[in-house]
Amino acid sequence: MTTDPRGGGPVPDRDWDRAVGLVSSADEVALACHISPDADALGSMLAVGMALRAGGKRVTASFGERRFRVPRLLCFLPGQDLLVEPGAYPASPELMMTFDVPIADRLGVLSGNADKARELIVVDHHASNTGFGTLNLVDPGAAATAVLAEDLLDRLGLPIDREIATCLYAGLVTDTGSFKHSSTTPEAHAMAARLLATGLNPEEIARELWDRSPFAYLKVLGAVLDRVVLEPAAGRGLVWTFVTRADRASYGLPYDEVEGIIDVVRRTDEADVAVVLKEDDDGAWQVSTRSKGEVDVARVCAALGGGGHAKAAGFTSHLPVEQTMARFRALL
Ligand code: 5GP
Ligand code: MN
């Protein structure tokens, strides 16, 4: 495994051994991933959940949103019969495991359950992980949390079938940006090869994740690109735009569907930093930020109460768009 230049490094064998001991001796395991789950968070959790269930454990899985709903984009992931609403989640689990969660806040309403868990195994690859578990399997050098999930299943001796592989592959392909990001190591491709050998359908996974949307998406995208701004911002180039609730309402487009707009905006040659502010159904602004490498957007977003990775991070704002952007600019 690679050593991460930001520090951290691979998970020590003694921690893996402890994890294997804890999981092997548990009858019941409660799994959680971060709120607004992406494919890596939900996929890693469901993969481990399906494998543990096949291995004879009682498994519950969830994420801590009051209005509990799997994003449309991720409805194709197998294993969703493991999911329970946060209200039905064990209040004080014997063994709880979290996936892709860097900080307890991102557990949403399940953070109380994590506080009361007897053992809490944190499986994650964010460099910013605070180590909030009783055992932390955190490797910032891993391309995705799915890499750590696969490693754990191997160490537990649990087989990875086509459905489990589909969940892991969705995480890997998402977090490597379809094998485009610098996290695309020989190890990442070797993992993809192992997963593909189970017979999963990469074409279908890619179409579900990126290559489909309702027609309304094109109309909203048109409106949003029409108001995009390019500005110098500390000589680095900042490109940004925003999507209001009203934009979505006028075409009947759900919030989930606008997640991909940042990938259109960030391609701008003249900008190192890209920002898309998305107004959710509660009127809060979910801000997606991307950097080409000069700026560590995780640090900027952390200063604004959010987090993420150096090149892809986010935060939530309750201020109007212009005020949010003024605060963001000031930190660049
Ligand atoms: P995205 O823009 O795709 O929603 O998120 C990019 C990255 O930033 C992901 O790693 C995601 O977990 C992280 N991120 C997005 N929003 C927030 C937030 O409000 N708080 C924290 N801590 N991280 C966030
Ligand atoms: Mn991830």
Side-chain angles (χ1 to χ4, degrees), residues 11-25 121 135 137 152 155-156:
V11 175
D13 275 326
R14 63 168 188 283
D15 288 346
W16 281 120
D17 293 345
R18 251 193 84 206
V20 168
L22 287 172
V23 175
S24 301
S25 60
I121 304 179
L135 175 59
L137 307 176
L152 178 67
R155 287 169 191 264
L156 286 164

Side-chain angles (χ1 to χ4, degrees), residues 159-232:
I160 294 177
D161 64 15
R162 184 178 191 267
E163 295 203 319
I164 295 169
T166 295
C167 287
L168 294 174
Y169 186 84
L172 180 67
V173 76
T174 295
D175 272 31
T176 57
S178 306
F179 305 104
K180 287 186 287 193
H181 297 163
S182 62
S183 53
T184 307
T185 55
E187 291 79 13
H189 274 295
M191 176 173 168
R194 286 192 295 279
L195 299 175
L196 283 162
T198 66
L200 63 77
N201 186 340
E203 184 184 20
E204 190 182 307
I205 295 171
R207 187 168 50 243
E208 291 290 346
L209 290 172
W210 304 292
D211 294 341
R212 54 171 286 200
S213 51
F215 181 67
Y217 173 74
L218 296 183
K219 304 299 283 182
V220 171
L221 183 63
V224 167
L225 292 183
D226 202 41
R227 64 168 85 101
V228 68
V229 175
L230 176 66
E231 51 183 78

Side-chain angles (χ1 to χ4, degrees), residues 34 103 106 126 259 278 288-290 306-309 312-316:
H34 65 71
I103 179 168
R106 298 279 286 159
H126 288 86
E259 299 283 4
K278 301 162 291 181
S288 286
T289 71
R290 299 292 186 268
H309 304 281
F315 63 99
T316 303

Side-chain angles (χ1 to χ4, degrees), residues 22 25 36 41 45 80-81 93 99 102 108 132 142 152 173 191 193 199 209 232 237 243 270 273 289 294 316:
L22 287 172
S25 60
S36 307
M45 175 174 78
Q80 303 207 10
D81 52 319
F99 296 87
F132 60 96
L152 178 67
V173 76
M191 176 173 168
L209 290 172
V243 196
E270 296 84 347
V273 178
T289 71
E294 287 286 300
T316 303

Side-chain angles (χ1 to χ4, degrees), residues 216-287:
Y217 173 74
L218 296 183
K219 304 299 283 182
V220 171
L221 183 63
V224 167
L225 292 183
D226 202 41
R227 64 168 85 101
V228 68
V229 175
L230 176 66
E231 51 183 78
R236 292 207 170 86
L238 167 67
V239 63
W240 67 277
T241 189
F242 58 95
V243 196
T244 65
R245 254 191 303 190
D247 291 328
R248 292 190 292 106
S250 55
Y251 295 103
L253 191 69
Y255 176 79
D256 298 344
E257 301 287 346
V258 301
E259 299 283 4
I261 294 179
I262 187 70
D263 291 319
V264 181
V265 174
R266 75 184 171 89
R267 56 184 291 125
T268 309
D269 281 337
E270 296 84 347
D272 282 335
V273 178
V275 176
V276 175
L277 304 94
K278 301 162 291 181
E279 190 180 12
D280 67 21
D281 293 332
D282 298 321
W285 291 91
Q286 305 300 336
V287 186

